[in-house]
Amino acid sequence: MRPDRETVWLWLSAPVAVLLAVAAGGELFVGGVFRGDAPNFVAQAIGQDYVTLAVALPVLVISAALAGRGSGRARLVWLGALAYVLYTYVIYAFHVRFNPLFLVYVALLGFSLYALIGGLATTDFGEIKARSTRKRPARAASIFLGAMAVLFYFAWLGEVVPALLAGSAPPSVTAAGTPTGAAHVLDMAWVLPAMGLTAIWLWQERPLAYALAGSLLTFASLMTLAIGAMMVAMRVYGEPVPLGMAAVFGAVSAAGLGVLVWYMRSLGGRKG
């Protein structure tokens, strides 16, 4: 990797990758890490850790290496993988009870946050738009991201609003034993607005949206795969969850991956 304006932030991938292996691997293979967390929450964490180690970590490392060699497509995937890490370890840093890996969670949150900010700030959005060779993949990405935003808003509000009216907590929050639903907060305040705005801007052919679309499609594919794994793990550990929902999220992840590949193929040019 050359230490220029566009690639210097890629070097933060090294500590992120090491810390990610320690956090996810430590939780899976070292006993006594989770102290006092609800079984429901622990089962979800274990399911996600498998996806983090087996899929997200290799995606992060490989995309960073390829982006360092000049691949614009890999840079977008790298940004999406960073968003996945950031999202995950905001939850771990604030919702997992204090344990021996606390400082690892904090470091992951910090490194991934600044790598994502720096990576976005040094991405040439105009160049990415200029390399888009076809409209149909961009239109498909816009529709997919818009649909994700709408469906998840309906799902989360359908859980949160009745609980507010009843003066109680949503069932998922009660089962996880957490003060609030971190996914509710992060999705409705950050991820879903980003998907909705990107869908609109991509339809309007704004340069920023061409970069955000590739990154958010990567994030969505990883996160929905992780959610499916969480549901499988919950079922394995005896937590009540419809196993068919794991298949639904697996299908959504596969659909997101398909749209991502189609979209990335439409980004031609010298840095593809």
Side-chain angles (χ1 to χ4, degrees):
M1 297 182 186
R2 58 187 187 283
D4 60 19
R5 180 176 176 272
E6 291 188 2
T7 61
V8 64
W9 294 100
L10 292 166
W11 286 102
L12 286 181
S13 302
V16 170
V18 172
L19 291 165
L20 204 57
V22 171
E27 290 152 3
L28 288 175
F29 305 119
V30 178
V33 172
F34 292 109
R35 296 175 175 176
D37 294 291
N40 178 286
F41 186 88
V42 173
Q44 292 183 58
I46 290 172
Q48 182 169 12
D49 285 338
Y50 278 112
V51 171
T52 297
L53 274 181
V55 183
L57 178 56
V59 167
L60 176 74
V61 172
I62 294 170
S63 62
L66 293 176
R69 296 177 183 177
S71 171
R73 294 174 181 139
R75 186 176 185 85
L76 301 187
V77 172
W78 171 70
L79 290 170
L82 283 174
Y84 170 89
V85 176
L86 176 60
Y87 182 105
T88 299
Y89 286 94
V90 167
I91 296 175
Y92 275 60
F94 288 100
H95 270 188
V96 172
R97 293 184 183 276
F98 192 88
N99 69 37
L101 295 177
F102 174 73
L103 290 179
V104 176
Y105 304 153
V106 173
L108 273 168
L109 175 55
F111 278 120
S112 60
L113 173 62
Y114 283 102
L116 182 60
I117 293 172
L120 285 170
T122 54
T123 296
D124 189 337
F125 304 123
E127 182 185 41
I128 292 172
K129 180 182 183 299
R131 290 192 281 111
S132 179
T133 58
R134 291 176 290 164
K135 285 190 176 182
R136 289 182 65 187
R139 292 287 194 254
S142 174
I143 292 169
F144 181 84
L145 291 172
M148 288 281 288
V150 171
L151 291 173
F152 269 91
Y153 261 123
F154 271 110
W156 291 159
L157 290 174
E159 186 177 10
V160 170
V161 172
L164 290 174
L165 294 175
S168 60
S172 63
V173 175
T174 302
T178 53
T180 60
H184 296 154
V185 177
L186 292 174
D187 285 356
M188 291 192 289
W190 170 36
V191 174
L192 301 183
M195 287 182 172
L197 289 171
T198 299
I200 295 169
W201 293 340
L202 192 57
W203 202 270
Q204 296 172 342
E205 301 184 8
R206 296 191 186 187
L208 172 62
Y210 283 81
L212 293 181
S215 301
L216 287 172
L217 287 169
T218 301
F219 169 85
S221 299
L222 290 172
M223 188 53 64
T224 50
L225 180 62
I227 294 172
M230 291 179 204
M231 292 183 173
V232 171
M234 289 167 67
R235 189 63 177 264
V236 169
Y237 285 89
E239 295 296 317
V241 61
L243 194 56
M245 290 302 296
V248 170
F249 279 102
V252 173
S253 178
L257 180 60
V259 175
L260 173 64
V261 171
W262 190 24
Y263 178 73
M264 289 299 189
R265 285 179 175 175
S266 73
L267 299 180
R270 63 183 180 84
K271 286 192 176 183

